[in-house]
Amino acid sequence: MHNVKFPLGKILSLLAILSMLFGSCQQDNDVQPTGSQTSANDIAVLKSFLSETTGTPLNDITFADDTFLIDGDMVMPLQNARDHYVKSQTEKSAAGRTEQRQYMYLLTPAVAANITVYINTDVPAVWVTAINQAISNWNTGADSKIHASVTTTAAGASITVSMNAAIEPGVIARALLPDAAGNAGSTVQINPAYTSSLPASQKQFAMTHEFGHNFGFRHTDQTNGTLITDTPVTDANSVMNSVVLNWNGFTFYDFIAFGVVYPHQPGTRRLLRYYSSANTDHFYTIHTNEIGPTGNGWAFEGGSGYVYATPTPGTVPLYRYYDAVTMDHFYTMNFGEVSWTYEGVACYVSATQVAGTRPLYRYFNTVTKDHFYTLHLGEVSGPSWTYEGIACYVWQP
Ligand SMILES: [Zn+2]
């Protein structure tokens, strides 16, 4: 949708396969607020407010049908804009400017942990499949505070997914952004024109994307706003780009972004796990730029729980060592456990099992000389692996 906003050559240079642009964010039942007339001046004030708070140039915000269109893609009903404006006036600290891909209002942790999705009866089975896949992607692939489930009760659902034949041609679906109270954007609307034409894999991508808007993520490939910490300005396969691709999982930086915005434990960051098959060495770091998505033969293997980057009450240092002879990284709470090269404090962890934590198990491969740490007891087995006990506790449900 809104092809005019995106020079075709630019899109093609970014993406091997250009499919469809998404739309997002429309509320189906927004009405004129009771007892209040909307003057042109009110609209101008709200446009200016939305421009400032979303980092969107003023002329990229339009208003029609009681709805603001932001960035040509994200839509905010008039009432929502009013609510946000009123809230910002009452919050002295409302600096407003959001990070790239992150909307000004996010879900509260309690909301994020219990999102219910109602699928309206007009949604065809092929889209229901995509919705369920998208929910699974967010629940398992994102490894964040966000947890969603389908509800068969319309009343009280966090998000209602329905069809809307009035969506303009070229727009696959639209989703509402979070409200000022920290609730998920309450609707996703699907254009029925894409029910038969869009491949199933792209439907899955589209639904995963739209829920991302409901959770407060903006478009990776749009430049308004500032960056989410630890994420780059472009990410060709990000699920939050405005172009639909085949579903191929979240990118490294999608994964990073979700963990930064919705960590399992406030104030923590992910311990990232890598493996070098050349060195038969498992490596763990909280620094997303130490290796990045990949590099020097390192394969990214996902998260190993959430930990603190700085000393925090109730935590102890996890020390990092390296042995150049066996090419083995080693992590321990016991300073001096080995007399290898000391590489500093990897992160801060819990020495005991407290609420919200689980053990990080330590194994050693006596053949390849590799220390391995995992959340899953029994992830490795066989005669070469020795279980060495619990290394520490990390924040992970
Ligand atoms: Zn979108």
Side-chain angles (χ1 to χ4, degrees):
M1 113 204 141
H2 306 296
N3 285 288
V4 292
K5 284 189 58 60
F6 303 94
L8 189 58
K10 181 182 175 190
I11 292 172
L12 288 172
S13 73
L14 285 171
L15 298 157
I17 301 167
L18 174 67
S19 184
M20 297 293 167
L21 296 181
F22 284 104
S24 71
C25 320
Q26 172 177 315
Q27 185 159 296
D28 50 0
N29 61 345
D30 53 301
V31 294
Q32 195 78 6
T34 312
S36 121
Q37 287 295 327
T38 307
S39 70
N41 188 54
D42 289 340
I43 298 303
V45 167
L46 289 172
K47 266 190 192 175
S48 169
F49 167 69
L50 291 173
S51 173
E52 283 178 27
T53 54
T54 65
T56 308
L58 199 53
N59 56 11
D60 282 349
I61 300 177
T62 58
F63 180 75
D65 297 333
D66 280 352
T67 304
F68 291 97
L69 190 63
I70 304 165
D71 273 354
D73 163 82
M74 277 157 267
V75 183
M76 182 180 298
L78 174 62
Q79 187 61 57
N80 262 23
R82 278 219 178 93
D83 290 347
H84 291 172
Y85 180 74
V86 169
K87 183 175 180 186
S88 76
Q89 299 306 297
T90 57
E91 285 177 355
K92 301 303 180 205
S93 62
R97 188 60 58 98
T98 56
E99 318 240 79
Q100 186 253 7
R101 295 199 289 159
Q102 176 180 324
Y103 184 57
M104 64 182 292
Y105 293 117
L106 299 172
L107 314 189
T108 65
V111 166
N114 186 26
I115 292 158
T116 51
V117 177
Y118 176 72
I119 305 171
N120 198 50
T121 51
D122 66 350
V123 177
V126 287
W127 280 111
V128 172
T129 297
I131 291 163
N132 282 306
Q133 289 167 333
I135 289 172
S136 175
N137 293 338
W138 278 101
N139 288 349
T140 60
D143 182 31
S144 72
K145 190 75 177 176
I146 288 174
H147 187 273
S149 59
V150 170
T151 177
T152 54
T153 309
S158 314
I159 301 168
T160 295
V161 185
S162 60
M163 307 304 287
N164 181 358
I167 294 177
E168 59 260 45
V171 177
I172 296 168
R174 295 180 153 175
L176 198 62
L177 292 164
D179 70 13
N183 297 303
S186 60
T187 64
V188 173
Q189 296 182 339
I190 301 169
N191 187 339
Y194 292 93
T195 295
S196 57
S197 63
L198 199 68
S201 180
Q202 293 182 25
K203 284 189 175 79
Q204 180 181 175
F205 187 105
M207 285 299 102
T208 307
H209 172 102
E210 296 302 330
F211 285 140
H213 285 323
N214 291 145
F215 303 151
F217 293 98
R218 296 183 60 184
H219 285 156
T220 307
D221 59 350
Q222 291 177 351
T223 55
N224 298 321
T226 55
L227 283 167
I228 290 175
T229 305
D230 288 346
T231 67
V233 292
T234 60
D235 186 7
N237 295 310
S238 170
V239 72
M240 293 315 296
N241 282 334
S242 59
V243 181
V244 179
L245 303 174
N246 288 319
W247 174 252
N248 192 31
F250 293 123
T251 67
F252 175 79
Y253 288 112
D254 284 339
F255 186 75
I256 296 300
F258 304 151
V260 167
V261 178
Y262 294 113
H264 283 308
Q265 169 82 1
T268 58
R269 53 193 302 157
R270 273 210 193 81
L271 187 59
L272 305 173
R273 170 174 144 187
Y274 294 86
Y275 183 64
S276 166
S277 54
N279 296 355
T280 58
D281 183 21
H282 283 91
F283 175 68
Y284 302 80
T285 179
I286 60 171
H287 304 292
T288 57
N289 60 356
E290 188 164 0
I291 290 176
T294 185
N296 294 324
W298 292 102
F300 178 60
E301 295 196 326
S304 292
Y306 286 74
V307 296
Y308 287 90
T310 55
T312 303
T315 68
V316 297
L318 185 68
Y319 303 105
R320 171 172 140 189
Y321 293 88
Y322 182 64
D323 179 43
V325 175
T326 58
M327 292 183 289
D328 185 22
H329 284 90
F330 178 67
Y331 301 80
T332 178
M333 294 188 293
N334 306 315
F335 189 81
E337 183 176 343
V338 292
S339 54
W340 299 358
T341 302
Y342 175 57
E343 297 194 322
V345 173
C347 57
Y348 294 83
V349 296
S350 181
T352 58
Q353 188 152 27
V354 297
T357 66
R358 68 155 84 169
L360 189 64
Y361 302 104
R362 171 173 139 190
Y363 288 86
F364 181 61
N365 190 310
T366 55
V367 175
T368 62
K369 309 298 182 191
D370 176 29
H371 282 91
F372 172 60
Y373 301 80
T374 175
L375 296 168
H376 309 288
L377 195 62
E379 183 178 344
V380 291
S381 59
S384 61
W385 285 106
T386 302
Y387 174 59
E388 296 193 325
I390 292 169
C392 63
Y393 295 85
V394 296
W395 280 264
Q396 188 80 11

